[in-house]
């Protein structure tokens, strides 16, 4: 049995539909996985052109219910619809969104890459990044996309936090595509945070960068599961996140992290202050609970569930 994943190209060019058709037919794929909205669009336009119809698996990664048009034009042709968030899976069941096709498979985390830092490792990676050793460091891992990932809300909250606490050694790291861009720097400058916020840009060494931080933070408006948050938890960082549907299915306030209302910069600032002032015993309890939670989302468990799905579809 052969499977294929996502193809990235210009959807408006029909020649690309034929290219995808040729890839699927020449390789004899039995199952085609649409792992993003763009991939699903491509498969939908290519599917009628295929002589032999493969089984289709479409993956929903956000916590937005697809529109009426998307439901009936795109998702209707899927054999299975994988949902990575338990709460969103339950929501789609409630909405009667092709309930017989839905299956819950959370995204997996490679726990061999993400693990807690020793004190010497934290010192080493801070030195490597040119960060003061005595800093208290917040980190946000997300591509620069304020309308979805909420970075401008996060910058507002960090500005409020600094005014409240007068913290001299607090820093915020932004890691992800275009976090070092002009538009990101413009927002940082606008808030007079140039000495307090560092845009690292796209990085391939996120597991190592996390070892330099104290708190992982997310201000997203939408999250299907929140892989970055699970990475924070596996690295034993304290975690603060907005209460999106996907994240709230496993992140529990005051138990294994901290939740704030979506879009509320003031509450986000208050929680940042609270987290910084936690007693060691309380901090240790929360990060240990978070670590156990992250362990439930191993890549091995995800691979096993996909293997079972593919076997089922193969008959």
């Amino acid at each position: 049995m052969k499977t294929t994943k996502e193809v990235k190209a210009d959807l408006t060019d029909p020649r690309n539909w034929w290219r995808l058709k040729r890839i699927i037919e020449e390789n004899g794929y039995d199952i085609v996985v649409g792992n993003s909205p763009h991939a699903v669009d491509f498969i939908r336009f290519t599917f009628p052109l295929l002589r032999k119809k493969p089984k289709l698996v479409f993956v929903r990664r956000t916590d937005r219910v697809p529109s009426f048009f998307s439901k009936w034009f795109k998702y209707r042709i899927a054999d299975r619809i994988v949902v990575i968030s338990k709460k969103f899976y339950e929501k789609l069941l409630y909405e009667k969104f092709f309930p017989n096709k839905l299956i819950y498979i959370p995204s997996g985390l490679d726990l061999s890459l993400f693990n807690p830092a020793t004190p010497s490792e934290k010192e080493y990676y801070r030195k490597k990044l040119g960060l003061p050793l005595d800093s208290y460091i917040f980190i946000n891992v997300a591509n620069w996309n304020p309308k979805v990932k909420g970075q401008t809300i996060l910058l507002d909250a960090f500005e409020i936090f600094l005014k409240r606490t007068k913290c001299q050694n607090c820093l915020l790291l932004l890691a992800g595509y275009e976090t070092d861009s002009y538009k990101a720097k413009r927002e940082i400058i606008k808030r007079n945070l140039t000495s307090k916020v560092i845009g690292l840009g796209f990085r391939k060494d996120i597991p190592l960068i996390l070892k330099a931080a104290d708190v992982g933070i997310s201000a997203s408006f939408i999250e299907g599961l929140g892989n970055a948050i699970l990475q924070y938890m596996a690295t034993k960082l304290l975690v603060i996140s907005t209460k999106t549907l996907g994240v709230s299915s496993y992140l529990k306030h005051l138990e294994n992290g901290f939740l704030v209302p979506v879009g509320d910069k003031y509450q986000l600032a208050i929680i940042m202050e609270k987290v910084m002032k936690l007693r060691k015993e309380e901090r240790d309890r929360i990060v240990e609970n978070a670590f156990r939670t992250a362990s439930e989302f191993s890549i091995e468990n995800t691979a096993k569930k996909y293997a079972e799905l593919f076997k089922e579809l193969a008959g």
Side-chain angles (χ1 to χ4, degrees), residues 11 17 20 34 36-47 58 69-70 73-75:
L11 179 65
W17 311 347
L20 179 57
S36 72
H38 189 66
V40 168
D41 290 341
F42 252 104
I43 294 166
R44 181 62 184 89
F45 283 101
T46 303
F47 191 69
F58 292 167
F69 174 79
S70 290
F73 179 68
K74 293 193 290 188
Y75 288 90

Side-chain angles (χ1 to χ4, degrees), residues 114-136:
F114 296 93
N115 44 70
T118 63
S120 61
E121 283 179 321
K122 177 171 282 193
E123 180 178 327
Y124 173 79
Y125 288 112
R126 288 191 174 192
K127 285 181 179 177
K128 192 172 181 180
L129 291 166
L131 303 172
L133 298 183
D134 63 344
S135 294
Y136 194 84

Side-chain angles (χ1 to χ4, degrees), residues 3-248:
T3 68
T4 187
K5 284 192 176 181
E6 167 180 353
V7 174
K8 287 188 177 181
D10 182 5
L11 179 65
T12 62
D13 186 349
R15 290 175 297 179
N16 287 324
W17 311 347
W18 288 94
R19 290 189 184 105
L20 179 57
K21 174 183 183 295
R22 187 171 66 249
I23 290 169
I24 293 171
E25 291 184 340
E26 288 180 357
N27 289 280
Y29 290 119
D30 301 299
I31 298 172
V32 176
V33 180
N35 209 29
S36 72
H38 189 66
V40 168
D41 290 341
F42 252 104
I43 294 166
R44 181 62 184 89
F45 283 101
T46 303
F47 191 69
L49 308 176
L50 297 171
R51 292 187 297 271
K52 178 189 173 185
K53 308 297 186 188
K55 299 291 185 180
L56 301 181
V57 176
F58 292 167
V59 182
R60 283 299 299 174
R61 296 194 169 277
T62 72
D63 56 7
R64 281 180 177 167
V65 177
S67 67
F68 179 85
F69 174 79
S70 290
K71 176 179 179 179
W72 293 104
F73 179 68
K74 293 193 290 188
Y75 288 90
R76 177 179 56 84
I77 69 170
D79 294 279
R80 289 292 183 275
I81 302 168
V82 173
V83 187
I84 66 172
S85 159
K86 188 173 183 181
K87 281 193 175 181
F88 187 56
Y89 167 76
E90 293 168 351
K91 183 176 181 178
L92 289 180
L93 285 176
Y94 177 79
E95 296 283 345
K96 295 183 171 57
F97 190 90
F98 301 121
N100 294 333
K101 298 182 179 185
L102 294 174
I103 181 169
Y104 166 56
I105 304 179
S107 294
L109 187 68
D110 189 343
L111 295 171
S112 68
L113 295 177
F114 296 93
N115 44 70
T118 63
S120 61
E121 283 179 321
K122 177 171 282 193
E123 180 178 327
Y124 173 79
Y125 288 112
R126 288 191 174 192
K127 285 181 179 177
K128 192 172 181 180
L129 291 166
L131 303 172
L133 298 183
D134 63 344
S135 294
Y136 194 84
I137 299 176
F138 298 83
I139 187 168
N140 172 256
V141 178
N143 294 336
W144 182 261
N145 185 1
K147 291 183 179 179
V148 176
K149 297 299 183 179
Q151 284 99 340
T152 50
I153 292 288
L154 176 56
L155 291 175
D156 286 342
F158 194 59
E159 181 184 16
I160 296 166
F161 162 79
L162 291 176
K163 288 178 179 177
R164 286 174 58 94
T165 61
K166 311 297 182 187
C167 182
Q168 297 299 312
N169 65 337
C170 290
L171 295 174
L172 170 63
L173 306 184
L174 304 178
Y177 180 67
E178 290 196 335
T179 54
D180 58 348
S181 65
Y182 169 75
K183 51 191 173 184
K185 290 176 180 176
R186 182 179 58 196
E187 295 296 334
I188 294 168
I189 292 169
K190 188 191 300 183
R191 295 164 177 81
N192 296 315
L193 293 173
T194 50
S195 64
K196 295 293 187 179
V197 179
I198 302 170
L200 298 173
F202 175 76
R203 302 288 298 229
K204 293 183 179 180
D205 56 349
I206 293 299
L208 306 181
I209 290 174
L210 291 182
K211 290 178 181 289
D214 298 291
V215 180
I217 191 164
S218 170
S220 293
F221 292 97
I222 302 167
E223 282 292 354
L225 185 67
N227 281 6
I229 294 164
L230 289 170
Q231 292 167 9
Y232 305 154
M233 297 169 91
T235 315
K236 287 194 176 180
L237 302 184
L238 286 164
V239 178
I240 304 171
S241 175
T242 44
K243 193 176 181 179
T244 60
L245 190 64
V247 173
S248 63

